Amino acid sequence: MTSPAKTAPYPLTWLYAPGDRPGVVAKALTSGADVVIVDLEDAVAPDRKDYAREATADLLSEPEPPVPVHVRVNALGTPPAAQDLEALAALPGLSGLRLPKVISAEQIIHLAQTTPPTDPGAPPLHALLESALGIERAHAIATAHPSLHGISLGEADLRADLGVRGDAGLDWCRSRVVVAARAAGLPPPAQSIHPDIRDLEGLAASCAHGRTLGFLGRAAIHPRQLPVIEQAYLPTEAELEQAETIVKAGAAHQGAQALPDGSFVDAAVVATAQRTLSLARRA
């Protein structure tokens, strides 16, 4: 069964912590992150995989961690991934499985049908697209199975696969994933990590850019990044004021209309404003 720990209505911060460092994981759970992702893949050396899995199993044996805990397992189709899934998928403290390097819908279907037993308590799956092939198949992956609750990018591997140097070279892939997620009825994806934990100005600028592309929230690798991400994705006072005006106008008059400032309001604009207000109230 999955954990009863409550996820924020709109999670904005997803903090990675290495599975072979239980002390770091414990600190992550009290860091203020909306979701903690225990990483068994890239953050763990090959000779530490077994220990990381065992430590994570101990953590997830408790049904109510302070915040939702997801686990990024090893690459699907490898022996460590099979061991991860067997050991962790049915534990009560698990809120989600994050699947790296997904390249096909068939991978999601197979996993959803076999591990763990298909029941209402099975943990939600989240696919990480980290290659050109994964990006090309984004919509097929996003619609593969009802157990899949989200897709997002793994930009370090994707950058290497594409040979991209400048950050702008990934924008088409980012938009592709945002569109695929929304077309599949999934939540807006969270941005991939910002690898320089000291570059908070760069992180803020990157988050602002991601927000314009349609992302919602971001993964982090250090607690100091969390306030920057949250601030970047929470609506500003001006945005809140505008949203309140739009919602009031929509409630007073059905159909399309123009506000006194000349802005146009219809059902889609009202829906966006309602999400803005909900995001502000998420705490």
Side-chain angles (χ1 to χ4, degrees), residues 20 40-50 52:
D20 64 337
L40 303 183
E41 192 209 14
D42 290 342
V44 179
D47 62 351
R48 300 272 291 175
K49 299 285 187 185
D50 291 343

Side-chain angles (χ1 to χ4, degrees), residues 167-178:
D167 192 65
L170 293 179
D171 276 357
W172 184 88
C173 299
R174 292 164 176 158
S175 294
R176 171 76 171 124
V177 168
V178 170

Side-chain angles (χ1 to χ4, degrees), residues 38-87:
V38 179
D39 190 9
L40 303 183
E41 192 209 14
D42 290 342
V44 179
D47 62 351
R48 300 272 291 175
K49 299 285 187 185
D50 291 343
Y51 172 70
R53 186 181 305 112
E54 293 166 5
T56 304
D58 287 342
L59 168 69
L60 298 178
S61 295
E62 297 296 328
E64 296 189 32
V67 297
V69 176
H70 291 210
V71 174
R72 180 166 74 170
V73 299
N74 286 280
L76 297 181
T78 65
Q83 294 167 341
D84 294 341
L85 294 166
E86 181 178 0

Side-chain angles (χ1 to χ4, degrees), residues 79-120:
Q83 294 167 341
D84 294 341
L85 294 166
E86 181 178 0
L88 306 174
L91 294 180
L94 181 67
S95 291
L97 286 168
R98 304 187 77 82
L99 313 173
K101 301 176 176 62
V102 174
I103 59 171
S104 73
E106 289 73 22
Q107 289 176 298
I108 303 300
I109 295 168
H110 175 74
L111 181 59
Q113 292 177 343
T114 59
T115 309
T118 51
D119 62 51

Side-chain angles (χ1 to χ4, degrees), residues 76 99-111 125 127-145 148 151:
L76 297 181
L99 313 173
K101 301 176 176 62
V102 174
I103 59 171
S104 73
E106 289 73 22
Q107 289 176 298
I108 303 300
I109 295 168
H110 175 74
L111 181 59
L125 306 178
L128 298 173
L129 311 184
E130 307 182 59
S131 66
L133 186 56
I135 297 299
E136 281 296 297
R137 296 172 172 172
H139 185 256
I141 292 169
T143 55
H145 195 276
L148 188 74
I151 62 172

